[in-house]
Amino acid sequence: MSGKTGKRMAGDYEIFQAVHIGDKEIVLGENPQDTTGAEYMCAFCQNNALFDLYSDVMCSNDFPEIAELFGRRIAEQAHSMQAELNKMKAEGISDHIITPSDCPPISHSDDLHNKVIVIRPEVLHREYRRATCQLKLCKGGFGAYPNSRGSACVCADLYTGKVNRYERMDIMGTMEPEKLPQWAKERLEALSRRKADLER
C-alpha cells in the first residue's frame, strides 16, 4: 500500500524491489530507522483487491543475506511456474497466446452470461499470457449485462476452474465452443455438468 509520498510501504518498510511470478510477489524492503537488527526485509505478497497480505517475512541487518533470500525465492517461484508449463506440455496442451485475430471483439450491447470470454494478454502477468489463463467462462457480475453501467465480471477459469473477477474492459472478445482447443472444450463440458448437477 502506498503512503502519502507515493512510496510503497509494508508497515515501516519501504518496498524498493518486487518481482511477481505465478501466484505470489516477492518483495524486498528497507527501514533505515530500525534499531532492532531488522533493517531489511524479504517477504511474499498477495493482493486480494483490498489490501496487500505479506507472509513468510524475514528480516536482517545483513543486506547480502536478505538479497540472497530474495533471489532464492524468485528462483523457486520461477521453477514452480516452469513445472506447471512442463505439465501442460506433457498433457498436450498448447500454451500459445490468443490474439484479437482469434476471437470477435465484444460490444457494449453484448450479454456475456455463460459465454466463453478471452482476457486481453496485456492485463495478465507475463507468465500468464497464454490460452490456459485467457479463456474463462463468464458466470455473472454487473459487467456481464448488456449496456450495464457496472464493469465487474465474475469468471471461472476454464483450465483450473478457479473463480476470479475481471473488468469488462479486460475482455478482448468471446469464443464459440466449437472453436475452442480440445482441452478447453473438455473443461467447459465439465463445468457445465457441474452446474447441471448443482441445479438438480
Side-chain angles (χ1 to χ4, degrees):
M1 182 178 296
S2 297
K4 293 181 180 180
T5 61
K7 296 179 180 179
R8 180 180 177 186
M9 303 297 294
D12 294 327
Y13 290 91
E14 178 187 348
I15 303 301
F16 64 88
Q17 192 69 262
V19 177
H20 197 292
I21 301 179
D23 61 346
K24 293 178 181 178
E25 183 182 30
I26 304 95
V27 301
L28 197 59
E30 178 182 23
N31 176 14
Q33 309 305 319
D34 177 79
T35 58
T36 66
E39 182 177 352
Y40 304 103
M41 64 84 84
C42 177
F44 289 112
C45 178
Q46 290 178 292
N47 185 282
N48 66 1
L50 294 176
F51 54 85
D52 289 335
L53 177 64
Y54 295 92
S55 61
D56 294 321
V57 179
M58 297 294 291
C59 300
S60 174
N61 264 0
D62 187 337
F63 179 71
E65 177 185 36
I66 289 297
E68 181 183 14
L69 176 62
F70 180 69
R72 187 163 66 247
R73 288 180 168 180
I74 291 174
E76 289 170 353
Q77 280 293 105
H79 183 269
S80 176
M81 288 301 302
Q82 190 60 54
E84 182 181 322
L85 289 174
N86 290 339
K87 178 184 176 183
M88 286 190 293
K89 290 178 181 177
E91 293 175 353
I93 294 176
S94 172
D95 61 353
H96 72 281
I97 295 177
I98 300 176
T99 65
S101 62
D102 299 318
C103 60
I106 63 171
S107 71
H108 194 61
S109 61
D110 286 335
D111 187 339
L112 301 181
H113 286 89
N114 298 312
K115 297 284 186 64
V116 175
I117 60 171
V118 184
I119 302 298
R120 299 179 186 278
E122 61 268 23
V123 306
L124 300 170
H125 289 294
R126 290 177 178 82
E127 64 273 24
Y128 289 134
R129 292 174 186 172
R130 55 179 188 266
T132 47
C133 299
Q134 288 178 272
L135 292 171
K136 319 282 181 181
L137 177 64
C138 186
K139 300 169 70 69
F142 289 119
Y145 290 94
N147 304 309
S148 173
R149 293 184 179 179
S151 62
C153 296
V154 179
C155 312
D157 190 289
L158 285 192
Y159 183 67
T160 65
K162 292 181 179 179
V163 176
N164 291 293
R165 166 184 163 162
Y166 288 90
E167 299 300 310
R168 192 174 177 110
M169 69 181 68
D170 296 335
I171 300 171
M172 182 168 63
T174 59
M175 190 170 287
E176 295 299 324
E178 60 270 17
K179 294 184 178 181
L180 293 172
Q182 187 58 37
W183 68 264
K185 291 179 181 177
E186 294 172 358
R187 298 297 206 283
L188 180 60
E189 290 173 1
L191 286 174
S192 299
R193 286 196 300 271
R194 191 181 309 165
K195 179 182 177 183
D197 289 342
L198 291 173
E199 292 176 347
R200 287 178 184 174

